[in-house]
């Protein structure tokens, strides 16, 4: 599998949509690209059930962060126990990532800056000062009332 070396990187398990997801993700983030794919070999495909020659893994970068996705079959699903955090400079970025990643996802899973995309992967779309917000009771109270984070409201809470 082609791609840059990174000592620690996410490895995401999809049923059969790894390549589709990778293409979507690289279209959303700057400084992103697909590095390469591997295919299932002829013969036994193991527990995945994927046909020989179909995409097994996809190596890609999201804003310079190396990620690998696998079409591993239906036996494992994403949960909220892990999420990818997107630090945003301003409300425009929050709005962009929220709308692009949330499109087709579960609206009931949108809470406090978290969302699930249409593949079930959880994302946190947060401002760069999320630690300051988390340490401020009034700001955190505001966060708890939101789905997508509203920086104007959060900055007002921080200032009060």
């Amino acid at each position: 599998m082609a791609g840059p070396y990174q000592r620690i990187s996410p490895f995401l398990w999809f049923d059969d949509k790894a390549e589709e997801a990778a293409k979507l993700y690289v279209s959303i983030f700057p400084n992103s690209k697909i590095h390469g794919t591997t295919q299932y070999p002829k013969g036994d495909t193991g527990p995945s059930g994927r046909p020989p020659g179909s995409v097994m893994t996809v190596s890609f970068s999201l804003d310079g962060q190396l990620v690998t996705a696998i079409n591993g079959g239906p036996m494992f699903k994403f949960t909220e126990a892990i999420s990818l955090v997107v630090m945003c400079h301003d409300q425009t970025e929050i709005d962009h990532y929220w709308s692009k990643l949330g499109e087709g996802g579960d609206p009931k899973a949108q809470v406090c800056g978290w969302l699930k995309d249409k593949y079930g992967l959880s994302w946190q779309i947060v401002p760069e000062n999320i630690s300051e917000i988390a340490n401020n009771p009034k700001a955190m109270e505001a966060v708890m009332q939101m789905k997508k984070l509203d920086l104007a409201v959060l900055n007002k809470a921080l200032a009060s």
Side-chain angles (χ1 to χ4, degrees):
M1 181 169 28
Y5 173 79
Q6 185 173 290
R7 187 173 177 106
I8 299 172
S9 66
F11 193 94
L12 306 174
W13 183 294
F14 292 83
D15 177 2
D16 63 353
K17 303 277 190 236
E19 188 173 30
E20 178 183 307
K23 287 178 179 178
L24 173 67
Y25 300 153
V26 301
S27 77
I28 294 171
F29 290 90
N31 189 29
S32 299
K33 68 180 183 176
I34 293 179
H35 299 287
T37 62
T38 63
Q39 284 73 40
Y40 277 99
K42 293 182 179 179
D44 181 26
T45 59
S48 75
R50 305 296 304 145
S54 66
V55 172
M56 181 170 58
T57 63
V58 182
S59 174
F60 59 103
S61 294
L62 293 181
D63 204 5
Q65 171 75 40
L66 182 63
V67 180
T68 303
I70 187 170
N71 285 324
M75 59 287 265
F76 298 114
K77 304 284 185 217
F78 293 120
T79 74
E80 294 81 358
I82 190 161
S83 60
L84 300 180
V85 179
V86 181
M87 296 289 203
C88 299
H89 299 297
D90 54 29
Q91 190 65 49
T92 300
E93 280 195 352
I94 290 172
D95 294 346
H96 168 75
Y97 292 117
W98 188 268
S99 72
K100 296 294 186 184
L101 292 167
E103 188 175 327
D106 181 359
K108 291 180 270 178
Q110 297 177 349
V111 60
C112 304
W114 292 54
L115 63 81
K116 271 191 184 183
D117 68 21
K118 66 183 179 180
Y119 307 105
L121 183 60
S122 292
W123 297 80
Q124 294 182 57
I125 313 302
V126 299
E128 292 173 333
N129 67 336
I130 191 63
S131 292
E132 179 184 6
I133 291 165
N135 285 314
N136 181 296
K138 284 189 177 187
M140 270 311 292
E141 184 178 325
V143 165
M144 300 305 281
Q145 305 304 313
M146 297 178 184
K147 288 186 176 197
K148 176 178 72 172
L149 300 185
D150 182 329
L151 278 179
V153 173
L154 295 176
N155 287 334
K156 185 176 179 180
L158 284 172
S160 63

